[in-house]
Amino acid sequence: NQEIIHPKNQDNSSPTSPDPTTGYEPTYCICNQVSFGEMIGCDNSDCDIEWFHYGCVNLSAPPAGKWFCPDCS
């Protein structure tokens, strides 16, 4: 079962915090917005986007098994 998690950096740490000097906060998903709410990671390790908001990919609960985004499925 997929666990509800939020995006993490390549070193498996928490999402990048906004840079206090530039205000930069990374964006995710097909909507190109910051991390918020429930998100799911595409199981394709080569996915260009990687993380998606549930609502943007029409999910309301974690899917059973592996999940691939619309671009990778």
Side-chain angles (χ1 to χ4, degrees):
N1 290 344
Q2 286 271 333
E3 182 180 338
I4 299 171
I5 51 178
H6 289 276
K8 295 187 177 193
N9 297 326
Q10 289 179 353
D11 64 358
N12 215 24
S13 62
S14 298
T16 305
S17 298
D19 183 317
T21 57
T22 65
Y24 171 78
E25 187 169 359
T27 58
Y28 305 93
C29 194
I30 53 179
C31 68
N32 200 34
Q33 296 295 311
V34 297
S35 172
F36 64 86
E38 295 178 326
M39 298 187 77
I40 187 166
C42 180
D43 281 309
N44 177 359
S45 59
D46 294 324
C47 180
D48 289 333
I49 299 174
E50 297 183 80
W51 291 97
F52 300 83
H53 303 105
Y54 271 32
C56 294
V57 290
N58 298 315
L59 291 175
S60 58
K66 292 187 179 248
W67 179 84
F68 295 91
C69 75
D71 288 344
C72 295
S73 53

